[in-house]
Amino acid sequence: MINSSILLKEYNLKVTPQRVAIVDELYSNGHMNIDELYKKLLEKFPSISLATIYKNVNAMVEKVFLNEVKIPDAKSVYELAKEEHSHLVCSSCGMIEDIMIDTSILQSSIKAQSAFKIQNVDVVFSGLCKSCQK
Amino acid sequence: MINSSILLKEYNLKVTPQRVAIVDELYSNGHMNIDELYKKLLEKFPSISLATIYKNVNAMVEKVFLNEVKIPDAKSVYELAKEEHSHLVCSSCGMIEDIMIDTSILQSSIKAQSAFKIQNVDVVFSGLCKSCQK
DNA sequence: CTGGGTGCAAAGTATTTGCATGAAC
DNA sequence: GTTCATGCAAATACTTTGCACCCAG
């Protein structure tokens, strides 16, 4: 479990039931797009507005405690910020999985080629998950 | 230079001046979003429609001779398909640069962790380009 | 000729904004 | 009590579609 209220407070966001639910859902589902969040929260808050989802997700992304993950050929999904990691995306079923990889090798490769100063690396692997390979 | 007509024919797309211009622009500018393409083509075709841009870009992406590149905190850009490469994106000026990196190390790291079958890897480095570091 | 592309207008989808009310602190 | 979130409706932005006309092959 996760203590969503404390988390929200730490980021100077007022603790509302809707926000708690957003954090809880993302905690249990890992990655969700706006629509999935909306449909899920409708179960708990029958009159919740899509605008509320957008406003809150945007606010949390601003505070850098949610990340937006851009996926090829799909809508962006959101996840709770955590240590740096990459993503596996199944192009058949859409499943998204976190994976730890060491990107330091890549970064040193860049340094050798360019004067670019890297602040962040996004890596998305697309392919087939175990069950979709059958 | 590039022979856009031949390229279009190879991909079974009729050769129209608008399409040639799209290919030429992407060839000379490297990466452009829909709006940049539209504004640029307006110079040559004052009555070109945004719909034409969308239809053609989508058609070319279908034929896999354009790629869509999703960029953090920015609109997608399109580029002519070429050998696999990664992208450097300057978060200050928006400049996008191609870079060759060897992703095979990453891929073997995945194999060790997961039964996932990788078909594609997208890598985007965000940071500061040389001139924006000053 | 014939098929498909173009531009326009309209429809559709996605996202943001303004505002009155109500909840959090 | 004050600040800020919510839900609603409207506005804006983005993308696709239908269709009449025209061009490429």
Side-chain angles (χ1 to χ4, degrees):
Chain A
M1 262 307 290
I2 187 179
N3 193 321
S4 309
S5 307
I6 292 182
L7 200 51
L8 286 165
K9 276 183 199 132
E10 273 172 9
Y11 285 93
N12 295 309
L13 291 169
K14 272 192 185 175
V15 178
T16 68
Q18 292 87 340
R19 284 179 177 170
V20 169
I22 289 175
V23 176
D24 286 347
E25 281 306 326
L26 288 176
Y27 180 76
S28 38
N29 295 332
H31 308 87
M32 300 174 86
N33 64 34
I34 293 286
D35 240 54
E36 290 165 345
L37 260 177
Y38 178 53
K39 281 181 187 137
K40 195 69 187 167
L41 289 224
L42 266 181
E43 295 172 8
K44 236 182 222 163
F45 309 93
S47 66
I48 198 172
S49 158
L50 238 193
T52 298
I53 308 284
Y54 276 109
K55 286 173 193 167
N56 284 326
V57 166
N58 289 342
M60 295 179 196
V61 168
E62 289 270 308
K63 303 279 186 178
V64 198
F65 106 82
L66 287 196
N67 288 330
E68 178 182 0
V69 184
K70 293 198 172 185
I71 307 287
D73 307 313
K75 294 183 193 161
S76 289
V77 295
Y78 297 86
E79 65 182 7
L80 297 175
K82 53 198 163 206
E83 50 183 337
E84 186 180 309
H85 61 280
S86 303
H87 294 100
L88 297 176
V89 180
C90 179
S91 48
S92 170
C93 68
M95 177 231 62
I96 301 175
E97 193 182 316
D98 289 348
I99 191 164
M100 304 306 300
I101 60 170
D102 180 9
T103 60
S104 59
I105 314 159
L106 304 183
Q107 308 211 23
S108 44
S109 158
I110 305 284
K111 278 190 201 114
Q113 289 180 64
S114 157
F116 201 86
K117 177 165 192 176
I118 299 171
Q119 293 168 333
N120 188 267
V121 189
D122 289 300
V123 183
V124 178
F125 297 91
S126 306
L128 293 176
C129 70
K130 196 171 180 179
S131 39
C132 288
Q133 283 173 41
K134 290 163 192 167
Chain B
M1 263 306 292
I2 188 181
N3 192 322
S4 309
S5 307
I6 292 182
L7 199 52
L8 286 165
K9 276 184 199 133
E10 274 171 8
Y11 285 93
N12 294 310
L13 291 168
K14 271 194 186 174
V15 178
T16 68
Q18 292 87 340
R19 285 177 176 171
V20 169
I22 289 175
V23 175
D24 286 346
E25 282 305 326
L26 288 175
Y27 180 75
S28 38
N29 296 331
H31 309 88
M32 299 174 86
N33 66 33
I34 292 286
D35 240 54
E36 291 165 342
L37 260 177
Y38 178 53
K39 282 181 186 135
K40 195 69 188 168
L41 290 223
L42 266 181
E43 297 172 6
K44 235 182 223 163
F45 308 95
S47 65
I48 198 173
S49 159
L50 238 193
T52 298
I53 308 285
Y54 275 109
K55 285 173 193 168
N56 283 327
V57 165
N58 289 342
M60 295 180 197
V61 169
E62 289 270 309
K63 301 279 186 177
V64 198
F65 107 82
L66 288 195
N67 288 329
E68 179 183 359
V69 184
K70 293 197 171 186
I71 308 287
D73 308 313
K75 293 184 193 162
S76 289
V77 296
Y78 297 86
E79 64 182 6
L80 297 175
K82 52 196 163 208
E83 48 184 338
E84 186 180 308
H85 61 280
S86 303
H87 294 99
L88 297 177
V89 180
C90 178
S91 48
S92 170
C93 69
M95 178 231 61
I96 301 173
E97 192 182 317
D98 289 348
I99 192 163
M100 306 305 301
I101 59 169
D102 181 10
T103 60
S104 60
I105 314 160
L106 304 184
Q107 308 211 21
S108 44
S109 155
I110 305 284
K111 277 190 202 114
Q113 288 181 65
S114 157
F116 201 86
K117 177 166 192 175
I118 299 171
Q119 294 167 333
N120 188 266
V121 190
D122 289 299
V123 182
V124 178
F125 298 91
S126 306
L128 292 177
C129 70
K130 195 171 181 180
S131 39
C132 288
Q133 284 174 42
K134 292 163 193 168

